[in-house]
mmCIF file with all atom_site columns, all heavy atoms in Angstrom:
data_model
loop_
_atom_site.group_PDB
_atom_site.id
_atom_site.type_symbol
_atom_site.label_atom_id
_atom_site.label_alt_id
_atom_site.label_comp_id
_atom_site.label_asym_id
_atom_site.label_entity_id
_atom_site.label_seq_id
_atom_site.pdbx_PDB_ins_code
_atom_site.Cartn_x
_atom_site.Cartn_y
_atom_site.Cartn_z
_atom_site.occupancy
_atom_site.B_iso_or_equiv
_atom_site.pdbx_formal_charge
_atom_site.auth_seq_id
_atom_site.auth_comp_id
_atom_site.auth_asym_id
_atom_site.auth_atom_id
_atom_site.pdbx_PDB_model_num
ATOM 1   N N   . VAL V 1 82 ? 11.209 -11.340 -1.145 1.00 98.00 ? 586 VAL V N   1
ATOM 2   C CA  . VAL V 1 82 ? 10.483 -11.300 -2.421 1.00 98.00 ? 586 VAL V CA  1
ATOM 3   C C   . VAL V 1 82 ? 9.272  -10.387 -2.233 1.00 98.00 ? 586 VAL V C   1
ATOM 4   O O   . VAL V 1 82 ? 8.434  -10.626 -1.360 1.00 98.00 ? 586 VAL V O   1
ATOM 5   C CB  . VAL V 1 82 ? 10.006 -12.709 -2.838 1.00 98.00 ? 586 VAL V CB  1
ATOM 6   C CG1 . VAL V 1 82 ? 9.243  -12.635 -4.158 1.00 98.00 ? 586 VAL V CG1 1
ATOM 7   C CG2 . VAL V 1 82 ? 11.190 -13.661 -2.944 1.00 98.00 ? 586 VAL V CG2 1
ATOM 8   N N   . GLU V 1 83 ? 9.185  -9.329  -3.034 1.00 97.00 ? 587 GLU V N   1
ATOM 9   C CA  . GLU V 1 83 ? 8.052  -8.417  -2.962 1.00 97.00 ? 587 GLU V CA  1
ATOM 10  C C   . GLU V 1 83 ? 6.910  -8.978  -3.814 1.00 97.00 ? 587 GLU V C   1
ATOM 11  O O   . GLU V 1 83 ? 7.058  -9.162  -5.011 1.00 97.00 ? 587 GLU V O   1
ATOM 12  C CB  . GLU V 1 83 ? 8.456  -7.022  -3.447 1.00 97.00 ? 587 GLU V CB  1
ATOM 13  C CG  . GLU V 1 83 ? 9.522  -6.380  -2.555 1.00 97.00 ? 587 GLU V CG  1
ATOM 14  C CD  . GLU V 1 83 ? 9.931  -5.000  -3.037 1.00 97.00 ? 587 GLU V CD  1
ATOM 15  O OE1 . GLU V 1 83 ? 9.293  -4.481  -3.977 1.00 97.00 ? 587 GLU V OE1 1
ATOM 16  O OE2 . GLU V 1 83 ? 10.894 -4.442  -2.485 1.00 97.00 ? 587 GLU V OE2 1
ATOM 17  N N   . LEU V 1 84 ? 5.776  -9.233  -3.165 1.00 98.00 ? 588 LEU V N   1
ATOM 18  C CA  . LEU V 1 84 ? 4.653  -9.892  -3.837 1.00 98.00 ? 588 LEU V CA  1
ATOM 19  C C   . LEU V 1 84 ? 3.583  -8.925  -4.324 1.00 98.00 ? 588 LEU V C   1
ATOM 20  O O   . LEU V 1 84 ? 3.145  -8.991  -5.468 1.00 98.00 ? 588 LEU V O   1
ATOM 21  C CB  . LEU V 1 84 ? 4.011  -10.918 -2.892 1.00 98.00 ? 588 LEU V CB  1
ATOM 22  C CG  . LEU V 1 84 ? 4.866  -12.119 -2.498 1.00 98.00 ? 588 LEU V CG  1
ATOM 23  C CD1 . LEU V 1 84 ? 4.156  -12.915 -1.407 1.00 98.00 ? 588 LEU V CD1 1
ATOM 24  C CD2 . LEU V 1 84 ? 5.146  -12.999 -3.701 1.00 98.00 ? 588 LEU V CD2 1
ATOM 25  N N   . VAL V 1 85 ? 3.135  -8.039  -3.442 1.00 97.00 ? 589 VAL V N   1
ATOM 26  C CA  . VAL V 1 85 ? 2.001  -7.166  -3.761 1.00 97.00 ? 589 VAL V CA  1
ATOM 27  C C   . VAL V 1 85 ? 2.261  -5.771  -3.198 1.00 97.00 ? 589 VAL V C   1
ATOM 28  O O   . VAL V 1 85 ? 2.681  -5.635  -2.044 1.00 97.00 ? 589 VAL V O   1
ATOM 29  C CB  . VAL V 1 85 ? 0.678  -7.703  -3.174 1.00 97.00 ? 589 VAL V CB  1
ATOM 30  C CG1 . VAL V 1 85 ? -0.491 -6.801  -3.574 1.00 97.00 ? 589 VAL V CG1 1
ATOM 31  C CG2 . VAL V 1 85 ? 0.420  -9.141  -3.600 1.00 97.00 ? 589 VAL V CG2 1
ATOM 32  N N   . ASP V 1 86 ? 1.993  -4.751  -4.013 1.00 97.00 ? 590 ASP V N   1
ATOM 33  C CA  . ASP V 1 86 ? 1.998  -3.371  -3.535 1.00 97.00 ? 590 ASP V CA  1
ATOM 34  C C   . ASP V 1 86 ? 0.605  -3.068  -2.991 1.00 97.00 ? 590 ASP V C   1
ATOM 35  O O   . ASP V 1 86 ? -0.379 -3.154  -3.718 1.00 97.00 ? 590 ASP V O   1
ATOM 36  C CB  . ASP V 1 86 ? 2.348  -2.429  -4.690 1.00 97.00 ? 590 ASP V CB  1
ATOM 37  C CG  . ASP V 1 86 ? 2.558  -0.989  -4.228 1.00 97.00 ? 590 ASP V CG  1
ATOM 38  O OD1 . ASP V 1 86 ? 1.979  -0.605  -3.194 1.00 97.00 ? 590 ASP V OD1 1
ATOM 39  O OD2 . ASP V 1 86 ? 3.307  -0.264  -4.898 1.00 97.00 ? 590 ASP V OD2 1
ATOM 40  N N   . LEU V 1 87 ? 0.513  -2.723  -1.714 1.00 96.00 ? 591 LEU V N   1
ATOM 41  C CA  . LEU V 1 87 ? -0.783 -2.502  -1.081 1.00 96.00 ? 591 LEU V CA  1
ATOM 42  C C   . LEU V 1 87 ? -1.361 -1.111  -1.378 1.00 96.00 ? 591 LEU V C   1
ATOM 43  O O   . LEU V 1 87 ? -2.484 -0.811  -0.996 1.00 96.00 ? 591 LEU V O   1
ATOM 44  C CB  . LEU V 1 87 ? -0.685 -2.696  0.435  1.00 96.00 ? 591 LEU V CB  1
ATOM 45  C CG  . LEU V 1 87 ? -0.857 -4.139  0.941  1.00 96.00 ? 591 LEU V CG  1
ATOM 46  C CD1 . LEU V 1 87 ? 0.181  -5.073  0.343  1.00 96.00 ? 591 LEU V CD1 1
ATOM 47  C CD2 . LEU V 1 87 ? -0.805 -4.195  2.457  1.00 96.00 ? 591 LEU V CD2 1
ATOM 48  N N   . HIS V 1 88 ? -0.575 -0.261  -2.013 1.00 93.00 ? 592 HIS V N   1
ATOM 49  C CA  . HIS V 1 88 ? -1.033 1.088   -2.387 1.00 93.00 ? 592 HIS V CA  1
ATOM 50  C C   . HIS V 1 88 ? -1.497 1.892   -1.179 1.00 93.00 ? 592 HIS V C   1
ATOM 51  O O   . HIS V 1 88 ? -2.431 2.694   -1.266 1.00 93.00 ? 592 HIS V O   1
ATOM 52  C CB  . HIS V 1 88 ? -2.144 1.019   -3.433 1.00 93.00 ? 592 HIS V CB  1
ATOM 53  C CG  . HIS V 1 88 ? -1.713 0.363   -4.718 1.00 93.00 ? 592 HIS V CG  1
ATOM 54  N ND1 . HIS V 1 88 ? -0.806 0.940   -5.581 1.00 93.00 ? 592 HIS V ND1 1
ATOM 55  C CD2 . HIS V 1 88 ? -2.034 -0.830  -5.276 1.00 93.00 ? 592 HIS V CD2 1
ATOM 56  C CE1 . HIS V 1 88 ? -0.604 0.148   -6.614 1.00 93.00 ? 592 HIS V CE1 1
ATOM 57  N NE2 . HIS V 1 88 ? -1.331 -0.941  -6.450 1.00 93.00 ? 592 HIS V NE2 1
ATOM 58  N N   . ILE V 1 89 ? -0.836 1.674   -0.047 1.00 93.00 ? 593 ILE V N   1
ATOM 59  C CA  . ILE V 1 89 ? -1.071 2.499   1.139  1.00 93.00 ? 593 ILE V CA  1
ATOM 60  C C   . ILE V 1 89 ? 0.287  2.944   1.668  1.00 93.00 ? 593 ILE V C   1
ATOM 61  O O   . ILE V 1 89 ? 1.322  2.398   1.314  1.00 93.00 ? 593 ILE V O   1
ATOM 62  C CB  . ILE V 1 89 ? -1.834 1.736   2.248  1.00 93.00 ? 593 ILE V CB  1
ATOM 63  C CG1 . ILE V 1 89 ? -1.054 0.477   2.683  1.00 93.00 ? 593 ILE V CG1 1
ATOM 64  C CG2 . ILE V 1 89 ? -3.232 1.375   1.797  1.00 93.00 ? 593 ILE V CG2 1
ATOM 65  C CD1 . ILE V 1 89 ? -1.666 -0.237  3.884  1.00 93.00 ? 593 ILE V CD1 1
ATOM 66  N N   . GLY V 1 90 ? 0.265  3.964   2.531  1.00 91.00 ? 594 GLY V N   1
ATOM 67  C CA  . GLY V 1 90 ? 1.490  4.407   3.170  1.00 91.00 ? 594 GLY V CA  1
ATOM 68  C C   . GLY V 1 90 ? 2.507  5.016   2.236  1.00 91.00 ? 594 GLY V C   1
ATOM 69  O O   . GLY V 1 90 ? 3.710  4.938   2.479  1.00 91.00 ? 594 GLY V O   1
ATOM 70  N N   . GLN V 1 91 ? 2.028  5.662   1.160  1.00 94.00 ? 595 GLN V N   1
ATOM 71  C CA  . GLN V 1 91 ? 2.977  6.278   0.232  1.00 94.00 ? 595 GLN V CA  1
ATOM 72  C C   . GLN V 1 91 ? 3.752  7.392   0.933  1.00 94.00 ? 595 GLN V C   1
ATOM 73  O O   . GLN V 1 91 ? 3.166  8.257   1.597  1.00 94.00 ? 595 GLN V O   1
ATOM 74  C CB  . GLN V 1 91 ? 2.248  6.862   -0.985 1.00 94.00 ? 595 GLN V CB  1
ATOM 75  C CG  . GLN V 1 91 ? 1.708  5.812   -1.938 1.00 94.00 ? 595 GLN V CG  1
ATOM 76  C CD  . GLN V 1 91 ? 0.310  5.356   -1.588 1.00 94.00 ? 595 GLN V CD  1
ATOM 77  O OE1 . GLN V 1 91 ? -0.178 5.658   -0.509 1.00 94.00 ? 595 GLN V OE1 1
ATOM 78  N NE2 . GLN V 1 91 ? -0.344 4.655   -2.494 1.00 94.00 ? 595 GLN V NE2 1
ATOM 79  N N   . THR V 1 92 ? 5.054  7.361   0.804  1.00 95.00 ? 596 THR V N   1
ATOM 80  C CA  . THR V 1 92 ? 5.909  8.364   1.428  1.00 95.00 ? 596 THR V CA  1
ATOM 81  C C   . THR V 1 92 ? 7.210  8.472   0.655  1.00 95.00 ? 596 THR V C   1
ATOM 82  O O   . THR V 1 92 ? 7.489  7.645   -0.223 1.00 95.00 ? 596 THR V O   1
ATOM 83  C CB  . THR V 1 92 ? 6.168  8.015   2.907  1.00 95.00 ? 596 THR V CB  1
ATOM 84  O OG1 . THR V 1 92 ? 6.849  9.090   3.549  1.00 95.00 ? 596 THR V OG1 1
ATOM 85  C CG2 . THR V 1 92 ? 7.012  6.746   3.025  1.00 95.00 ? 596 THR V CG2 1
ATOM 86  N N   . GLN V 1 93 ? 7.998  9.474   0.986  1.00 97.00 ? 597 GLN V N   1
ATOM 87  C CA  . GLN V 1 93 ? 9.301  9.657   0.333  1.00 97.00 ? 597 GLN V CA  1
ATOM 88  C C   . GLN V 1 93 ? 10.375 9.845   1.405  1.00 97.00 ? 597 GLN V C   1
ATOM 89  O O   . GLN V 1 93 ? 10.131 10.504  2.430  1.00 97.00 ? 597 GLN V O   1
ATOM 90  C CB  . GLN V 1 93 ? 9.303  10.889  -0.590 1.00 97.00 ? 597 GLN V CB  1
ATOM 91  C CG  . GLN V 1 93 ? 8.329  10.844  -1.746 1.00 97.00 ? 597 GLN V CG  1
ATOM 92  C CD  . GLN V 1 93 ? 6.939  11.251  -1.342 1.00 97.00 ? 597 GLN V CD  1
ATOM 93  O OE1 . GLN V 1 93 ? 6.756  12.184  -0.551 1.00 97.00 ? 597 GLN V OE1 1
ATOM 94  N NE2 . GLN V 1 93 ? 5.943  10.566  -1.862 1.00 97.00 ? 597 GLN V NE2 1
ATOM 95  N N   . LEU V 1 94 ? 11.537 9.263   1.153  1.00 97.00 ? 598 LEU V N   1
ATOM 96  C CA  . LEU V 1 94 ? 12.706 9.552   1.981  1.00 97.00 ? 598 LEU V CA  1
ATOM 97  C C   . LEU V 1 94 ? 13.432 10.704  1.300  1.00 97.00 ? 598 LEU V C   1
ATOM 98  O O   . LEU V 1 94 ? 13.900 10.562  0.165  1.00 97.00 ? 598 LEU V O   1
ATOM 99  C CB  . LEU V 1 94 ? 13.609 8.320   2.095  1.00 97.00 ? 598 LEU V CB  1
ATOM 100 C CG  . LEU V 1 94 ? 14.883 8.502   2.934  1.00 97.00 ? 598 LEU V CG  1
ATOM 101 C CD1 . LEU V 1 94 ? 14.537 8.856   4.384  1.00 97.00 ? 598 LEU V CD1 1
ATOM 102 C CD2 . LEU V 1 94 ? 15.744 7.234   2.888  1.00 97.00 ? 598 LEU V CD2 1
ATOM 103 N N   . VAL V 1 95 ? 13.496 11.845  1.987  1.00 98.00 ? 599 VAL V N   1
ATOM 104 C CA  . VAL V 1 95 ? 14.015 13.059  1.358  1.00 98.00 ? 599 VAL V CA  1
ATOM 105 C C   . VAL V 1 95 ? 15.216 13.614  2.119  1.00 98.00 ? 599 VAL V C   1
ATOM 106 O O   . VAL V 1 95 ? 15.414 13.329  3.304  1.00 98.00 ? 599 VAL V O   1
ATOM 107 C CB  . VAL V 1 95 ? 12.924 14.151  1.273  1.00 98.00 ? 599 VAL V CB  1
ATOM 108 C CG1 . VAL V 1 95 ? 11.731 13.650  0.467  1.00 98.00 ? 599 VAL V CG1 1
ATOM 109 C CG2 . VAL V 1 95 ? 12.478 14.603  2.666  1.00 98.00 ? 599 VAL V CG2 1
#
Side-chain angles (χ1 to χ4, degrees):
V586 179
E587 296 180 7
L588 294 172
V589 182
D590 188 333
L591 274 59
H592 299 291
I593 59 173
Q595 288 89 348
T596 188
Q597 298 82 40
L598 179 61
V599 301

